[in-house]
Amino acid sequence: MHPTQETPGSEQRQPLVVLRGSTRKHHHTVADSLRIHPDFQTLIPPLSASEFATLEASIQEKGCRDPLVVWAEEKILIDGHNRYAICTAHGIPYQTVEMSFDSPNTVKVWMLLNQLGRRNLTSESVSYLRGTWYELTKQSRGGDRKSSGQNDHLKTETKLGAQFKASPKTIRRDAQFAKAVDTLSSIGGEDMKWRILSRSAGMTKKQVIALAIDARSNPAKVAKTLQGRDKKVKPEGELTIAHHLTLKIGSLVEVYAPDRQDVNGRLGRIQSVGEKTATVWMRHIPTITMQSYTFKHSALTAVPLENQPGLQEICDRTGRLHQLGNLDPFEVEILNLLERATVLTPTELQYLEQIENRHKLD
Protein backbone atom coordinates (compact mmCIF):
# COMPACT_ATOMS: atom_id res chain seq x y z
CA MET A 1 0.00 0.00 0.00
CA HIS A 2 1.26 3.44 -0.84
CA PRO A 3 1.46 6.19 1.80
CA THR A 4 -1.71 8.22 1.99
CA GLN A 5 -1.74 11.24 -0.33
CA GLU A 6 -3.94 14.24 0.12
CA THR A 7 -6.50 15.05 -2.52
CA PRO A 8 -8.12 18.43 -3.16
CA GLY A 9 -10.55 19.13 -0.37
CA SER A 10 -9.28 16.24 1.77
CA GLU A 11 -8.44 18.61 4.58
CA GLN A 12 -12.20 19.07 5.12
CA ARG A 13 -12.91 15.34 5.42
CA GLN A 14 -13.46 13.85 8.86
CA PRO A 15 -13.49 10.08 9.46
CA LEU A 16 -16.71 8.51 10.75
CA VAL A 17 -14.83 6.57 13.44
CA VAL A 18 -12.89 7.77 16.44
CA LEU A 19 -9.44 6.31 17.04
CA ARG A 20 -8.39 6.12 20.65
CA GLY A 21 -4.90 6.18 22.08
CA SER A 22 -1.69 7.54 20.66
CA THR A 23 0.82 6.22 18.14
CA ARG A 24 4.14 4.67 19.14
CA LYS A 25 7.10 4.17 16.80
CA HIS A 26 9.28 1.05 16.96
CA HIS A 27 12.44 -0.04 15.15
CA HIS A 28 12.63 -3.58 13.78
CA THR A 29 15.35 -5.83 12.43
CA VAL A 30 14.81 -8.53 9.84
CA ALA A 31 14.60 -11.11 12.65
CA ASP A 32 11.31 -9.59 13.79
CA SER A 33 8.01 -10.64 12.23
CA LEU A 34 4.56 -9.08 12.04
CA ARG A 35 1.18 -10.77 11.96
CA ILE A 36 -0.65 -10.70 8.61
CA HIS A 37 -4.44 -11.14 8.57
CA PRO A 38 -6.13 -11.97 5.22
CA ASP A 39 -9.24 -9.92 6.07
CA PHE A 40 -7.08 -6.80 6.12
CA GLN A 41 -4.64 -7.76 3.39
CA THR A 42 -7.43 -8.35 0.84
CA LEU A 43 -8.60 -4.76 1.29
CA ILE A 44 -5.36 -3.58 -0.31
CA PRO A 45 -5.17 -3.46 -4.13
CA PRO A 46 -2.12 -5.38 -5.36
CA LEU A 47 0.64 -3.39 -7.00
CA SER A 48 1.25 -3.92 -10.68
CA ALA A 49 4.53 -5.54 -11.67
CA SER A 50 6.02 -2.20 -12.62
CA GLU A 51 4.86 -0.52 -9.38
CA PHE A 52 6.26 -3.36 -7.26
CA ALA A 53 9.58 -3.33 -9.12
CA THR A 54 9.89 0.44 -8.69
CA LEU A 55 9.11 0.22 -4.97
CA GLU A 56 11.53 -2.67 -4.51
CA ALA A 57 14.34 -0.88 -6.32
CA SER A 58 13.74 2.26 -4.23
CA ILE A 59 13.79 0.38 -0.91
CA GLN A 60 16.92 -1.52 -1.88
CA GLU A 61 18.65 1.72 -2.78
CA LYS A 62 17.36 4.07 -0.07
CA GLY A 63 15.95 1.80 2.62
CA CYS A 64 12.40 1.67 3.96
CA ARG A 65 11.74 5.33 4.73
CA ASP A 66 8.03 5.12 5.60
CA PRO A 67 7.02 3.25 8.77
CA LEU A 68 4.57 0.35 8.59
CA VAL A 69 1.32 0.69 10.54
CA VAL A 70 0.33 -1.95 13.09
CA TRP A 71 -2.94 -2.41 15.00
CA ALA A 72 -1.65 -1.92 18.55
CA GLU A 73 -4.10 -4.21 20.36
CA GLU A 74 -3.64 -7.22 18.05
CA LYS A 75 -0.12 -6.56 16.65
CA ILE A 76 -1.45 -7.05 13.10
CA LEU A 77 -0.01 -5.23 10.08
CA ILE A 78 -2.61 -2.93 8.51
CA ASP A 79 -0.54 -0.70 6.21
CA GLY A 80 2.67 -1.44 4.32
CA HIS A 81 2.24 -5.07 3.26
CA ASN A 82 4.32 -4.63 0.10
CA ARG A 83 7.09 -2.80 1.94
CA TYR A 84 7.09 -5.50 4.63
CA ALA A 85 7.41 -8.26 1.99
CA ILE A 86 10.32 -6.47 0.32
CA CYS A 87 12.12 -5.72 3.58
CA THR A 88 11.85 -9.30 4.84
CA ALA A 89 12.91 -10.71 1.45
CA HIS A 90 16.06 -8.58 1.30
CA GLY A 91 16.93 -8.26 4.98
CA ILE A 92 16.22 -4.53 5.18
CA PRO A 93 15.34 -2.97 8.59
CA TYR A 94 12.04 -1.11 8.94
CA GLN A 95 10.05 0.94 11.44
CA THR A 96 6.48 0.47 12.64
CA VAL A 97 3.92 2.81 14.10
CA GLU A 98 1.22 1.37 16.35
CA MET A 99 -2.34 2.71 16.21
CA SER A 100 -5.16 1.89 18.58
CA PHE A 101 -8.61 0.80 17.31
CA ASP A 102 -11.82 -0.40 18.94
CA SER A 103 -12.65 -3.26 16.56
CA PRO A 104 -11.74 -4.95 13.26
CA ASN A 105 -14.37 -2.85 11.47
CA THR A 106 -12.82 0.43 12.62
CA VAL A 107 -9.46 -0.85 11.35
CA LYS A 108 -11.01 -1.58 7.97
CA VAL A 109 -12.66 1.84 7.82
CA TRP A 110 -9.29 3.48 8.51
CA MET A 111 -7.73 1.39 5.73
CA LEU A 112 -10.52 2.42 3.33
CA LEU A 113 -9.95 6.08 4.20
CA ASN A 114 -6.27 5.55 3.47
CA GLN A 115 -7.10 4.14 0.05
CA LEU A 116 -9.56 6.92 -0.76
CA GLY A 117 -6.77 9.42 -0.13
CA ARG A 118 -4.85 8.05 -3.11
CA ARG A 119 -4.78 9.76 -6.49
CA ASN A 120 -5.64 8.14 -9.81
CA LEU A 121 -8.31 5.80 -8.47
CA THR A 122 -10.79 4.56 -11.05
CA SER A 123 -14.43 5.50 -10.48
CA GLU A 124 -15.07 1.79 -9.87
CA SER A 125 -12.47 1.75 -7.08
CA VAL A 126 -13.94 4.85 -5.45
CA SER A 127 -17.46 3.35 -5.58
CA TYR A 128 -16.24 0.07 -4.14
CA LEU A 129 -14.37 1.74 -1.27
CA ARG A 130 -17.28 4.02 -0.38
CA GLY A 131 -19.78 1.17 -0.65
CA THR A 132 -17.66 -1.11 1.54
CA TRP A 133 -17.24 1.72 4.06
CA TYR A 134 -21.03 2.15 4.14
CA GLU A 135 -21.60 -1.57 4.78
CA LEU A 136 -18.95 -1.70 7.51
CA THR A 137 -20.44 1.34 9.25
CA LYS A 138 -23.90 -0.25 9.10
CA GLN A 139 -22.52 -3.37 10.74
CA SER A 140 -20.80 -1.38 13.48
CA ARG A 141 -24.15 0.24 14.28
CA GLY A 142 -25.68 -3.12 15.04
CA GLY A 143 -27.01 -4.45 11.74
CA ASP A 144 -30.64 -4.35 10.70
CA ARG A 145 -32.53 -3.18 13.72
CA LYS A 146 -36.17 -2.28 13.07
CA SER A 147 -36.86 1.42 13.44
CA SER A 148 -33.67 2.89 14.86
CA GLY A 149 -31.59 0.75 12.48
CA GLN A 150 -33.21 2.31 9.42
CA ASN A 151 -32.61 5.79 10.80
CA ASP A 152 -28.97 4.90 11.49
CA HIS A 153 -28.53 3.72 7.91
CA LEU A 154 -30.02 6.95 6.56
CA LYS A 155 -27.74 8.90 8.87
CA THR A 156 -24.70 6.93 7.65
CA GLU A 157 -25.38 7.43 3.94
CA THR A 158 -26.07 11.12 4.53
CA LYS A 159 -22.78 11.56 6.40
CA LEU A 160 -20.81 9.67 3.79
CA GLY A 161 -22.52 11.58 1.01
CA ALA A 162 -21.63 14.89 2.63
CA GLN A 163 -18.04 13.78 3.20
CA PHE A 164 -17.53 12.75 -0.43
CA LYS A 165 -19.80 15.41 -1.97
CA ALA A 166 -22.18 12.73 -3.27
CA SER A 167 -25.88 12.16 -2.78
CA PRO A 168 -27.16 9.50 -0.35
CA LYS A 169 -28.57 7.71 -3.40
CA THR A 170 -25.07 7.50 -4.88
CA ILE A 171 -23.75 6.00 -1.65
CA ARG A 172 -26.51 3.37 -1.75
CA ARG A 173 -25.59 2.54 -5.36
CA ASP A 174 -21.94 2.29 -4.28
CA ALA A 175 -22.96 -0.24 -1.63
CA GLN A 176 -24.88 -2.26 -4.22
CA PHE A 177 -21.85 -2.23 -6.54
CA ALA A 178 -19.47 -3.21 -3.71
CA LYS A 179 -21.62 -6.21 -2.78
CA ALA A 180 -21.82 -7.22 -6.45
CA VAL A 181 -18.03 -7.06 -6.80
CA ASP A 182 -17.63 -9.22 -3.69
CA THR A 183 -20.14 -11.72 -5.09
CA LEU A 184 -18.24 -12.06 -8.37
CA SER A 185 -14.87 -12.31 -6.60
CA SER A 186 -16.29 -15.16 -4.49
CA ILE A 187 -16.99 -16.98 -7.77
CA GLY A 188 -14.07 -15.89 -9.94
CA GLY A 189 -11.40 -15.50 -7.26
CA GLU A 190 -9.91 -12.50 -5.46
CA ASP A 191 -8.11 -11.44 -8.65
CA MET A 192 -11.50 -10.81 -10.28
CA LYS A 193 -12.18 -7.99 -7.82
CA TRP A 194 -9.03 -6.11 -8.80
CA ARG A 195 -9.64 -6.76 -12.51
CA ILE A 196 -13.07 -5.19 -12.19
CA LEU A 197 -11.83 -2.21 -10.18
CA SER A 198 -8.89 -1.57 -12.53
CA ARG A 199 -11.22 -1.92 -15.55
CA SER A 200 -9.07 -4.68 -17.06
CA ALA A 201 -12.06 -7.04 -16.81
CA GLY A 202 -13.88 -4.82 -19.32
CA MET A 203 -17.15 -4.65 -17.37
CA THR A 204 -19.23 -1.61 -16.51
CA LYS A 205 -20.80 -1.13 -13.08
CA LYS A 206 -24.22 -2.08 -14.49
CA GLN A 207 -22.80 -5.27 -16.00
CA VAL A 208 -21.15 -6.20 -12.69
CA ILE A 209 -24.41 -5.72 -10.79
CA ALA A 210 -26.37 -7.66 -13.43
CA LEU A 211 -23.93 -10.58 -13.31
CA ALA A 212 -24.10 -10.64 -9.51
CA ILE A 213 -27.90 -10.85 -9.70
CA ASP A 214 -27.63 -13.72 -12.22
CA ALA A 215 -25.23 -15.48 -9.87
CA ARG A 216 -28.05 -16.02 -7.37
CA SER A 217 -29.88 -18.37 -9.73
CA ASN A 218 -27.13 -19.59 -12.05
CA PRO A 219 -23.66 -19.35 -10.48
CA ALA A 220 -22.19 -21.93 -12.89
CA LYS A 221 -23.10 -19.81 -15.93
CA VAL A 222 -21.66 -16.68 -14.30
CA ALA A 223 -18.46 -18.59 -13.49
CA LYS A 224 -18.11 -19.50 -17.18
CA THR A 225 -18.72 -15.89 -18.15
CA LEU A 226 -16.01 -14.70 -15.80
CA GLN A 227 -13.62 -17.30 -17.19
CA GLY A 228 -14.24 -16.01 -20.70
CA ARG A 229 -15.89 -19.23 -21.94
CA ASP A 230 -19.36 -17.81 -22.44
CA LYS A 231 -18.58 -15.18 -25.08
CA LYS A 232 -21.35 -12.87 -26.22
CA VAL A 233 -21.97 -12.46 -29.95
CA LYS A 234 -20.55 -9.22 -31.29
CA PRO A 235 -23.01 -6.76 -32.83
CA GLU A 236 -23.63 -7.28 -36.52
CA GLY A 237 -21.16 -5.38 -38.66
CA GLU A 238 -18.48 -5.15 -35.96
CA LEU A 239 -15.18 -6.45 -37.27
CA THR A 240 -13.53 -9.22 -35.27
CA ILE A 241 -9.74 -9.25 -35.10
CA ALA A 242 -8.11 -12.59 -34.38
CA HIS A 243 -6.73 -12.40 -30.85
CA HIS A 244 -3.23 -13.55 -31.77
CA LEU A 245 -2.94 -10.72 -34.32
CA THR A 246 -3.07 -8.21 -31.44
CA LEU A 247 0.09 -9.79 -30.01
CA LYS A 248 3.21 -8.35 -31.61
CA ILE A 249 6.87 -8.56 -30.70
CA GLY A 250 7.72 -5.82 -28.21
CA SER A 251 4.09 -5.00 -27.43
CA LEU A 252 2.82 -4.66 -23.87
CA VAL A 253 0.49 -7.36 -22.50
CA GLU A 254 -1.24 -8.22 -19.24
CA VAL A 255 -1.04 -11.85 -18.12
CA TYR A 256 -4.09 -13.72 -16.81
CA ALA A 257 -2.91 -16.92 -15.09
CA PRO A 258 -4.83 -17.36 -11.80
CA ASP A 259 -2.90 -20.55 -11.01
CA ARG A 260 0.41 -18.65 -11.22
CA GLN A 261 0.46 -15.99 -8.52
CA ASP A 262 4.03 -14.99 -9.44
CA VAL A 263 2.89 -13.71 -12.84
CA ASN A 264 -0.90 -13.33 -12.65
CA GLY A 265 -2.12 -9.80 -13.37
CA ARG A 266 1.37 -8.52 -14.22
CA LEU A 267 2.57 -6.73 -17.33
CA GLY A 268 5.15 -8.08 -19.75
CA ARG A 269 6.68 -7.46 -23.18
CA ILE A 270 6.20 -9.90 -26.05
CA GLN A 271 9.41 -11.69 -27.07
CA SER A 272 7.93 -13.92 -29.78
CA VAL A 273 4.51 -15.08 -31.02
CA GLY A 274 3.84 -18.65 -32.10
CA GLU A 275 0.79 -20.37 -33.54
CA LYS A 276 -0.84 -21.06 -30.15
CA THR A 277 1.49 -19.51 -27.57
CA ALA A 278 3.57 -16.40 -27.05
CA THR A 279 6.77 -15.87 -25.09
CA VAL A 280 6.78 -12.87 -22.77
CA TRP A 281 9.60 -11.04 -21.01
CA MET A 282 8.78 -10.42 -17.35
CA ARG A 283 10.89 -9.34 -14.40
CA HIS A 284 11.56 -12.07 -11.83
CA ILE A 285 10.75 -10.16 -8.63
CA PRO A 286 13.12 -11.97 -6.18
CA THR A 287 16.18 -11.41 -8.40
CA ILE A 288 15.06 -8.31 -10.41
CA THR A 289 16.30 -10.12 -13.56
CA MET A 290 14.34 -10.38 -16.81
CA GLN A 291 13.10 -13.88 -17.63
CA SER A 292 10.97 -15.30 -20.44
CA TYR A 293 7.67 -17.11 -19.84
CA THR A 294 5.41 -18.90 -22.33
CA PHE A 295 1.62 -18.48 -22.24
CA LYS A 296 -1.33 -19.42 -24.40
CA HIS A 297 -2.68 -16.56 -26.51
CA SER A 298 -5.89 -16.56 -24.47
CA ALA A 299 -3.93 -15.72 -21.30
CA LEU A 300 -2.58 -12.47 -22.76
CA THR A 301 -4.37 -9.17 -23.24
CA ALA A 302 -2.75 -6.43 -25.29
CA VAL A 303 -2.40 -3.17 -23.33
CA PRO A 304 -2.18 0.14 -25.26
CA LEU A 305 1.17 1.77 -24.64
CA GLU A 306 -0.51 5.14 -24.08
CA ASN A 307 -2.05 3.65 -20.91
CA GLN A 308 1.48 3.46 -19.45
CA PRO A 309 3.00 6.96 -19.86
CA GLY A 310 6.21 6.02 -18.05
CA LEU A 311 6.86 3.13 -20.41
CA GLN A 312 5.83 5.23 -23.40
CA GLU A 313 8.54 7.75 -22.48
CA ILE A 314 11.19 5.01 -22.22
CA CYS A 315 10.17 3.58 -25.61
CA ASP A 316 10.38 7.03 -27.17
CA ARG A 317 13.87 7.54 -25.74
CA THR A 318 15.19 4.16 -26.92
CA GLY A 319 13.53 4.71 -30.30
CA ARG A 320 15.36 8.02 -30.79
CA LEU A 321 18.66 6.32 -30.01
CA HIS A 322 18.03 3.51 -32.50
CA GLN A 323 17.25 6.10 -35.19
CA LEU A 324 20.74 7.61 -34.85
CA GLY A 325 22.23 4.65 -36.69
CA ASN A 326 25.70 5.12 -35.17
CA LEU A 327 25.41 3.13 -31.94
CA ASP A 328 28.19 0.69 -31.15
CA PRO A 329 27.26 -3.02 -30.70
CA PHE A 330 27.44 -2.79 -26.90
CA GLU A 331 24.98 0.13 -26.85
CA VAL A 332 22.60 -1.72 -29.15
CA GLU A 333 22.71 -4.75 -26.86
CA ILE A 334 22.00 -2.57 -23.79
CA LEU A 335 18.99 -0.97 -25.51
CA ASN A 336 17.68 -4.39 -26.53
CA LEU A 337 17.88 -5.49 -22.90
CA LEU A 338 16.13 -2.36 -21.65
CA GLU A 339 13.30 -2.85 -24.16
CA ARG A 340 12.33 -6.10 -22.45
CA ALA A 341 11.20 -4.36 -19.25
CA THR A 342 7.92 -2.64 -18.38
CA VAL A 343 9.70 -0.39 -15.89
CA LEU A 344 13.40 0.35 -15.47
CA THR A 345 15.36 0.07 -12.25
CA PRO A 346 17.52 3.07 -11.20
CA THR A 347 20.63 1.28 -12.52
CA GLU A 348 18.99 0.60 -15.88
CA LEU A 349 17.93 4.24 -16.12
CA GLN A 350 21.55 5.26 -15.54
CA TYR A 351 22.68 3.09 -18.48
CA LEU A 352 20.06 4.75 -20.70
CA GLU A 353 21.10 8.23 -19.60
CA GLN A 354 24.79 7.44 -20.22
CA ILE A 355 24.07 6.39 -23.79
CA GLU A 356 21.96 9.53 -24.33
CA ASN A 357 24.71 11.74 -22.89
CA ARG A 358 27.33 10.12 -25.11
CA HIS A 359 25.26 10.97 -28.17
CA LYS A 360 24.21 14.37 -26.74
CA LEU A 361 20.49 13.61 -26.62
CA ASP A 362 18.40 15.55 -24.10
Short mmCIF file of all heavy atoms in Angstrom, two decimals, residues 134 153-163 166 168 171:
data_model
loop_
_atom_site.label_atom_id
_atom_site.label_comp_id
_atom_site.label_asym_id
_atom_site.label_seq_id
_atom_site.Cartn_x
_atom_site.Cartn_y
_atom_site.Cartn_z
N TYR A 134 -19.63 2.04 3.73
CA TYR A 134 -21.03 2.15 4.14
C TYR A 134 -21.49 0.86 4.82
O TYR A 134 -22.13 0.89 5.89
CB TYR A 134 -21.89 2.46 2.92
CG TYR A 134 -23.38 2.41 3.17
CD1 TYR A 134 -24.01 3.38 3.94
CD2 TYR A 134 -24.17 1.40 2.63
CE1 TYR A 134 -25.37 3.34 4.17
CE2 TYR A 134 -25.52 1.35 2.83
CZ TYR A 134 -26.13 2.32 3.60
OH TYR A 134 -27.49 2.28 3.83
N HIS A 153 -29.02 3.91 9.26
CA HIS A 153 -28.53 3.72 7.91
C HIS A 153 -28.67 5.01 7.10
O HIS A 153 -27.77 5.39 6.35
CB HIS A 153 -29.29 2.59 7.22
CG HIS A 153 -29.07 1.25 7.87
ND1 HIS A 153 -29.78 0.14 7.52
CD2 HIS A 153 -28.21 0.87 8.86
CE1 HIS A 153 -29.36 -0.88 8.26
NE2 HIS A 153 -28.43 -0.45 9.08
N LEU A 154 -29.82 5.68 7.27
CA LEU A 154 -30.02 6.95 6.56
C LEU A 154 -28.99 7.97 7.03
O LEU A 154 -28.45 8.74 6.22
CB LEU A 154 -31.44 7.46 6.81
CG LEU A 154 -32.56 6.65 6.16
CD1 LEU A 154 -33.93 7.16 6.62
CD2 LEU A 154 -32.46 6.71 4.64
N LYS A 155 -28.71 7.96 8.33
CA LYS A 155 -27.74 8.90 8.87
C LYS A 155 -26.35 8.61 8.30
O LYS A 155 -25.60 9.53 7.95
CB LYS A 155 -27.73 8.78 10.40
CG LYS A 155 -26.85 9.82 11.10
CD LYS A 155 -26.98 9.66 12.61
CE LYS A 155 -26.12 10.70 13.34
NZ LYS A 155 -26.23 10.54 14.81
N THR A 156 -26.01 7.32 8.18
CA THR A 156 -24.70 6.93 7.65
C THR A 156 -24.53 7.37 6.21
O THR A 156 -23.51 7.95 5.84
CB THR A 156 -24.51 5.40 7.76
OG1 THR A 156 -24.57 5.03 9.14
CG2 THR A 156 -23.18 4.98 7.18
N GLU A 157 -25.52 7.08 5.35
CA GLU A 157 -25.38 7.43 3.94
C GLU A 157 -25.38 8.95 3.75
O GLU A 157 -24.73 9.46 2.83
CB GLU A 157 -26.50 6.78 3.11
CG GLU A 157 -27.90 7.26 3.44
CD GLU A 157 -28.96 6.36 2.83
OE1 GLU A 157 -28.71 5.14 2.72
OE2 GLU A 157 -30.03 6.88 2.48
N THR A 158 -26.08 9.66 4.62
CA THR A 158 -26.07 11.12 4.53
C THR A 158 -24.69 11.67 4.91
O THR A 158 -24.16 12.57 4.25
CB THR A 158 -27.14 11.72 5.46
OG1 THR A 158 -28.43 11.24 5.07
CG2 THR A 158 -27.14 13.24 5.37
N LYS A 159 -24.11 11.12 5.98
CA LYS A 159 -22.78 11.56 6.40
C LYS A 159 -21.73 11.26 5.34
O LYS A 159 -20.90 12.11 5.02
CB LYS A 159 -22.40 10.90 7.73
CG LYS A 159 -23.03 11.53 8.96
CD LYS A 159 -22.42 10.93 10.22
CE LYS A 159 -22.95 11.63 11.47
NZ LYS A 159 -22.34 11.07 12.69
N LEU A 160 -21.78 10.03 4.82
CA LEU A 160 -20.81 9.67 3.79
C LEU A 160 -21.00 10.51 2.55
O LEU A 160 -20.03 10.94 1.91
CB LEU A 160 -20.95 8.19 3.44
CG LEU A 160 -20.24 7.20 4.35
CD1 LEU A 160 -20.54 5.77 3.93
CD2 LEU A 160 -18.74 7.43 4.32
N GLY A 161 -22.25 10.75 2.18
CA GLY A 161 -22.52 11.58 1.01
C GLY A 161 -21.97 12.98 1.18
O GLY A 161 -21.37 13.55 0.25
N ALA A 162 -22.14 13.55 2.37
CA ALA A 162 -21.63 14.89 2.63
C ALA A 162 -20.10 14.90 2.61
O ALA A 162 -19.47 15.83 2.09
CB ALA A 162 -22.14 15.40 3.98
N GLN A 163 -19.49 13.85 3.15
CA GLN A 163 -18.04 13.78 3.20
C GLN A 163 -17.42 13.70 1.81
O GLN A 163 -16.38 14.30 1.54
CB GLN A 163 -17.60 12.59 4.04
CG GLN A 163 -16.09 12.46 4.17
CD GLN A 163 -15.69 11.57 5.33
OE1 GLN A 163 -16.52 11.19 6.14
NE2 GLN A 163 -14.42 11.25 5.42
N ALA A 166 -21.32 13.59 -2.45
CA ALA A 166 -22.18 12.73 -3.27
C ALA A 166 -23.53 12.62 -2.58
O ALA A 166 -23.66 12.83 -1.37
CB ALA A 166 -21.55 11.34 -3.42
N PRO A 168 -26.93 10.78 -1.04
CA PRO A 168 -27.16 9.50 -0.35
C PRO A 168 -27.52 8.38 -1.31
O PRO A 168 -27.13 7.22 -1.10
CB PRO A 168 -28.33 9.83 0.59
CG PRO A 168 -28.21 11.30 0.84
CD PRO A 168 -27.72 11.87 -0.45
N ILE A 171 -24.38 6.87 -2.65
CA ILE A 171 -23.75 6.00 -1.65
C ILE A 171 -24.45 4.65 -1.62
O ILE A 171 -23.79 3.60 -1.52
CB ILE A 171 -23.77 6.65 -0.26
CG1 ILE A 171 -23.01 7.99 -0.27
CG2 ILE A 171 -23.19 5.71 0.79
CD1 ILE A 171 -21.55 7.86 -0.64
#
